[in-house]
Amino acid sequence: MHRSKLSRSILLALGLVSAGGAIAAEAGTAGTSSSGNAAAPTQLDAMLVTGTRASNRTQFETLAPVDVFTKQDIQSVDSTDLKDVLAQLVPSFVVQRLPMADGQVFVRPATLRGLSPDQTLVLVNGRRFHRSALLGNRGAQAADLAQIPTSAIKRIEVLRDGASAQYGSDAIAGVINIILEDSPGTEITAGYSQYAQGDGGSRDFSARTGWALGDYGSLALFAESSNSDATSRTRQRPDAIAFQAAHPELDVPNPVQRWGQPELESRRVGFNLKANASDTLELYAFGLYSHSDGVSDFNWRNPDTTTGAYRTTSIFPGWNLRSLYPLGFSPQYGNTQNDLQLVAGLRGEITPRLRWDLSASYGRNAIDYSLDNSINASLGPDSPTSFDLGRLTQTEKNANADFNYEWDVAALSKPVNVAFGAEFRQETYQVRAGDPASYAVGRGAAAGLEANSNGAPGFSASQAGQWSQRSKAAYVDMEVPLGERWSIGAAGRYEDFSSFGSTVDGKLSARFAITPDVALRGTLSTGFRAPTPAQLNTTSTTQGLDTRTLQIFTSGRLSPSDPLAQLLGAKPLTPEESRTASLGLTWRTELGLSGSVDVYRITLSDRFSQSASFAIPAGTPNPLGYTSVNYFTNDFDTTTTGVDVVGNYLRDLGAGRMTLTLAYNYNQTRVDNGSTSVATNETQRVLFEDRLPEHKGSFTGSWDVGAWSLMARVRYYGKWTDSTGNATGDIYQQFGAMTFLDLAVGYRINEHHILRVGADNVFDRYPDEATFQASRGLIYSRNAPYDTDGANVYAQYRLSF
């Protein structure tokens, strides 16, 4: 079939076709060594988009470490949540479940190299993916990978290196680039999974179809749905047992509250379009939309001890909350999300060596919160039991102009690749107030009855508003081949933000080929992460349960510009800044063995966090009844050191093909200075240094023989430390290392039909019990860096044609 001149030049620009015109091999297919001899198939022979703008870079030839995961790799993990997929595939990627943690139950924080979730940049088809509207743990506001349908993904590229000079804000830990499917054909998948304890059933369905539009392009459509039941790993709370004993006439539920994954329904659709307008012009566009609804439990309110809600008072004569909730109540926290990403662009060439790409994108994430089975006790009998808590909305608009020039230099055997461009971005954050009853301070507050919807106060009219931030950027990125062995690169980026001013970042990189199949590589770079409009301007209220007193406490998080926050020491936020150095060795052999070892050091200054908590100063109005308040601040400096080891071995075994993959990460973070290093905020120091395992790794073996495919994966997590999160008097517990075994068997019935069955955590292993959380009925720590629900068994059917 005829391939237009433009099609080839665009593929060349994206690194999907070699300079000689051959389509690049996908990861795991055969390549050619630099010596010209046929090399054994190796994952280091995949052509890349991420981390380089040169047109002829393979994974083996990159100046910084890049992992490439194929569609087959993604399908080897039984989850429709992209975060869970990456947690099993990327050694330095960790995601937590966080049951009963407000919005983080649904928008789970994910970290790369132990850094903050919003210090990893997420791209889709090379374009920036918008943030979630949720401000998560310690105020991080990151992109929510769970909004991207896994069935729509062709491959994933993970750049494990600082890249702010190339991509802008957030790329401190690295870059995750999601490449969407564009190939013709149809694939339909249906699956069911359930935990060995009989709960958490998940029904998953996905469909993808694509067409080649003659010589004019391609179109792919995606659809995906998932319905997951709740899980519960809970014991009855001791105070609930005591309450039952004191009130034998009542039938108290056992347990009174549930610790586990939420009920969750998700629907995702999308498209990916490429169309040739002429021999020198191509139109492209893609879009992703998702909708989800979820419900999670909150802490149980004990009628005998929750005096703030169950108090009787003459203000409401004859009214007693026991008449409504005689068994106590556990509020039900609801989360409805709507997420949209749209991108459109034109690209072409001015000359065969000078290519251009103009694009615009729109991203929006809106989260509506609700609360059922609750009360605003200060309103007495006038209080509803269900509340609309309000909405958070993050909107982003981007415009990009990118150019790529292959510059022939007489003294060099290969052209110098020069990329340059500009970007404009606008972020807008909006808070819509909830029902007035969700934040009202009623007449009963004067008698000690708690105000606000109990469990999660709604966003008040004073908290509502809309705030924007604009940025303009220009960059240049060069890669220079200095003969057959040396390659060097340099990148610089200038960016100006309306809220705090400008920043300049740079990156130097080099690669030296010791032999055609062994090379050293290294980088030096600076980076930054800009504070968002949400972090700069918003306030929030949260409630928690003290594990010692079993009393509800209410905390306020103030904006840094709030007068009370400034009275307590708050200052305007500035960008987090980083310096990264990495050095690596990469190799490949004709025997099918390939791999890399990369060591890195990341120093971060002015890291973003919440301040220590302060008591409300005497005489200061406190209508919301805050137990304590804090604010966002540039709080401290850290140094992160680590090593990534990746190895891959492919060979024929019997009548089949065997693949062995090792992935290991050691990562240590230490607080250098700042307020978190002092005794008054010991919790923050411990959590930043020890909350995640320093060691994480996996070893995967697969064997494809005839119609059968077998897979075994061992996952390892090192020790880590947790804390209670009490308002005062935190308690710490160290958890030991954990190892899990996953197994799967696939059978290809014919060219169209595949069956696959398997189990994660085959031996149904659980971590140590969280002894300090027993008072709340929690068995296993909710902050664990792995699933604590035990063995999960699944079956999957796939139809392709």
Side-chain angles (χ1 to χ4, degrees):
M1 179 179 294
H2 170 71
R3 181 180 301 274
S4 73
K5 180 180 178 183
L6 175 66
S7 296
R8 182 190 172 279
S9 67
I10 290 170
L11 290 171
L12 183 68
L14 291 176
L16 297 178
V17 63
S18 68
I23 298 296
E26 289 289 344
T29 59
T32 303
S33 70
S34 301
S35 62
N37 299 322
T42 165
Q43 287 187 344
L44 296 180
D45 287 326
M47 299 297 285
L48 297 177
V49 176
T50 311
T52 177
R53 291 183 169 90
S55 62
N56 57 355
R57 288 288 180 198
T58 69
Q59 186 177 4
F60 175 70
E61 296 170 338
T62 55
L63 280 64
V66 181
D67 295 323
V68 178
F69 301 103
T70 66
K71 184 176 181 178
Q72 289 71 31
D73 296 324
I74 297 166
Q75 291 177 343
S76 74
V77 180
D78 176 52
S79 179
T80 59
D81 188 327
L82 183 54
K83 293 180 181 178
D84 291 328
V85 173
L86 288 170
Q88 291 204 25
L89 297 178
V90 182
S92 61
F93 191 88
V94 176
V95 63
Q96 299 165 286
R97 283 287 181 192
L98 297 178
M100 210 179 294
D102 295 358
Q104 292 185 119
V105 177
F106 306 100
V107 184
R108 297 182 295 148
T111 65
L112 186 66
R113 289 185 164 179
L115 300 183
S116 178
D118 55 4
Q119 290 169 346
T120 299
L121 177 63
V122 176
L123 308 174
V124 176
N125 282 353
R127 294 292 176 255
R128 179 181 287 263
F129 190 71
H130 59 275
R131 309 176 196 274
S132 166
L134 175 71
L135 273 70
N137 196 16
R138 288 175 296 278
Q141 188 184 4
D144 184 10
L145 287 161
Q147 303 301 323
I148 301 172
T150 56
S151 60
I153 300 174
K154 182 175 184 177
R155 69 179 184 276
I156 303 172
E157 300 171 353
V158 181
L159 171 64
R160 294 181 277 111
D161 194 46
S164 292
Q166 297 165 293
Y167 295 103
S169 179
D170 306 349
I172 290 176
V175 180
I176 298 174
N177 190 8
I178 313 298
I179 308 300
L180 299 179
E181 268 285 8
D182 58 358
S183 57
T186 298
E187 187 173 87
I188 299 172
T189 303
Y192 180 79
S193 65
Q194 182 174 286
Y195 285 93
Q197 291 199 21
D199 59 4
S202 180
R203 296 153 296 278
D204 305 311
F205 176 84
S206 66
R208 177 195 64 81
T209 188
W211 302 272
L213 305 177
D215 290 341
Y216 300 99
S218 63
L219 172 64
L221 303 178
F222 326 111
E224 189 173 279
S225 74
S226 178
N227 293 272
S228 300
D229 299 331
T231 63
S232 180
R233 302 295 176 266
T234 316
R235 292 195 183 106
Q236 184 65 301
R237 284 173 47 155
D239 61 331
I241 295 173
F243 178 75
Q244 177 70 85
H247 302 276
E249 74 282 4
L250 300 177
D251 185 13
V252 179
N254 186 4
V256 289
Q257 69 185 57
R258 181 184 55 78
W259 290 96
Q261 300 179 35
E263 297 178 21
L264 186 62
E265 294 185 3
S266 302
R267 306 287 185 271
R268 306 180 187 100
V269 296
F271 72 94
N272 189 20
L273 170 68
K274 298 176 184 178
N276 298 328
S278 70
D279 282 350
T280 58
L281 184 65
E282 182 185 66
L283 165 70
Y284 63 91
F286 67 87
L288 299 171
Y289 172 78
S290 70
H291 172 84
S292 63
D293 289 289
V295 178
S296 176
D297 276 22
F298 271 1
N299 286 298
W300 178 64
R301 273 60 174 166
N302 186 332
D304 285 352
T305 60
T306 310
T307 56
Y310 280 90
R311 185 188 305 271
T312 58
T313 170
S314 59
I315 295 177
F316 303 119
W319 183 77
N320 189 330
L321 190 55
R322 289 178 188 264
S323 63
L324 182 62
Y325 296 127
L327 305 177
F329 63 100
S330 175
Q332 301 292 292
Y333 189 62
N335 175 296
T336 299
Q337 284 199 68
N338 288 285
D339 192 276
L340 175 67
Q341 178 85 6
L342 292 172
V343 175
L346 288 169
R347 54 194 172 200
E349 60 181 36
I350 299 173
T351 70
R353 293 191 176 276
L354 179 59
R355 296 175 294 276
W356 57 270
D357 189 328
L358 303 178
S359 66
S361 68
Y362 173 86
R364 181 178 184 270
N365 178 259
I367 308 177
D368 290 273
Y369 293 111
S370 62
L371 197 68
D372 296 324
N373 200 49
S374 183
I375 196 76
N376 182 336
S378 71
L379 297 176
D382 296 328
S383 172
T385 58
S386 296
F387 301 89
D388 170 14
L389 303 181
R391 174 185 294 173
L392 303 177
T393 304
Q394 169 80 7
T395 303
E396 299 181 25
K397 300 174 184 177
N398 279 54
N400 291 79
D402 301 297
F403 300 87
N404 198 85
Y405 180 62
E406 293 181 1
W407 176 24
D408 277 327
V409 178
L412 300 176
S413 59
K414 297 179 181 178
V416 175
N417 196 84
V418 182
F420 55 96
E423 179 181 31
F424 172 81
R425 184 165 73 255
Q426 177 177 296
E427 292 187 53
T428 302
Y429 195 76
Q430 183 176 22
V431 178
R432 177 183 63 77
D435 294 334
S438 70
Y439 58 86
V441 181
R443 292 185 296 129
L449 287 169
E450 290 175 338
N452 316 310
S453 48
N454 201 296
F459 300 112
S460 68
S462 62
Q463 292 174 314
Q466 180 173 297
W467 306 271
S468 293
Q469 174 177 266
R470 296 173 302 281
S471 66
K472 297 172 288 185
Y475 73 89
V476 62
D477 188 350
M478 299 180 64
E479 291 190 21
V480 183
L482 300 177
E484 293 298 321
R485 295 197 171 196
W486 277 102
S487 294
I488 60 173
R493 187 182 184 95
Y494 169 83
E495 195 145 359
D496 182 73
F497 288 80
S498 60
S499 57
F500 61 82
S502 61
T503 179
V504 177
D505 289 279
K507 182 173 184 176
L508 297 174
S509 51
R511 182 182 184 275
F512 175 72
I514 301 172
T515 73
D517 295 316
V518 180
L520 284 171
R521 62 191 179 197
T523 66
L524 293 171
S525 65
T526 63
F528 74 103
R529 191 201 65 80
T532 68
Q535 294 165 340
L536 290 164
N537 298 285
T538 63
T539 65
S540 68
T541 303
T542 58
Q543 290 184 342
L545 183 73
D546 192 294
T547 62
R548 286 176 167 172
T549 65
L550 295 183
Q551 293 299 307
I552 302 296
F553 59 84
T554 303
S555 301
R557 194 265 301 152
L558 307 177
S559 162
S561 60
D562 185 279
L564 176 56
Q566 293 180 343
L567 177 66
L568 296 172
K571 297 180 180 179
L573 294 178
T574 60
E576 298 173 314
E577 298 183 346
S578 69
R579 297 185 300 278
T580 300
S582 69
L583 179 65
L585 176 71
T586 183
W587 67 89
R588 62 184 179 183
T589 72
E590 295 184 1
L591 300 177
L593 178 65
S594 60
S596 63
V597 177
D598 293 275
V599 296
Y600 57 87
R601 177 184 174 90
I602 306 168
T603 58
L604 268 161
S605 58
D606 296 327
R607 285 197 67 167
F608 186 80
S609 183
Q610 291 178 187
S611 71
S613 294
F614 300 92
I616 301 295
T620 302
N622 188 16
L624 296 180
Y626 287 141
T627 309
S628 61
V629 295
N630 55 47
Y631 49 83
F632 289 147
T633 180
N634 294 102
D635 198 31
F636 60 104
D637 305 335
T638 61
T639 298
T640 298
T641 55
V643 58
D644 287 322
V645 180
V646 177
N648 192 63
Y649 181 54
L650 294 88
R651 63 162 295 170
D652 293 331
L653 180 64
R657 184 73 165 163
M658 180 188 71
T659 303
L660 301 176
T661 302
L662 170 70
Y664 166 77
N665 171 254
Y666 168 76
N667 193 87
Q668 181 190 75
T669 295
R670 290 292 177 258
V671 175
D672 298 327
N673 53 62
S675 65
T676 58
S677 62
V678 300
T680 55
N681 208 351
E682 177 71 2
T683 297
Q684 290 292 319
R685 184 191 65 78
V686 170
L687 292 182
F688 268 95
E689 293 186 349
D690 303 323
R691 66 189 171 90
L692 296 175
E694 291 184 349
H695 301 269
K696 180 175 179 279
S698 67
F699 182 76
T700 304
S702 63
W703 186 40
D704 297 320
V705 53
W708 294 92
S709 62
L710 309 175
M711 189 277 291
R713 177 181 289 122
V714 177
R715 293 178 284 131
Y716 174 81
Y717 298 81
K719 64 183 181 181
W720 60 285
T721 299
D722 197 10
S723 74
T724 57
N726 287 342
T728 59
D730 248 321
I731 305 170
Y732 303 99
Q733 181 178 349
Q734 186 178 92
F735 294 87
M738 287 290 295
T739 302
F740 304 101
L741 174 65
D742 309 328
L743 297 175
V745 178
Y747 179 71
R748 180 179 291 276
I749 301 171
N750 55 39
E751 62 177 328
H752 300 297
H753 305 274
I754 297 176
L755 290 176
R756 189 169 188 265
V757 296
D760 292 341
N761 188 7
V762 170
F763 295 119
D764 200 27
R765 298 200 63 204
Y766 293 88
D768 298 334
E769 294 189 6
T771 55
F772 60 73
Q773 301 282 13
S775 60
R776 294 198 281 179
L778 178 65
I779 302 177
Y780 309 108
S781 172
R782 66 174 177 172
N783 297 313
Y786 37 70
D787 191 337
T788 60
D789 285 332
N792 186 52
V793 182
Y794 60 88
Q796 190 180 82
Y797 164 74
R798 179 171 296 115
L799 169 66
S800 58
F801 53 91

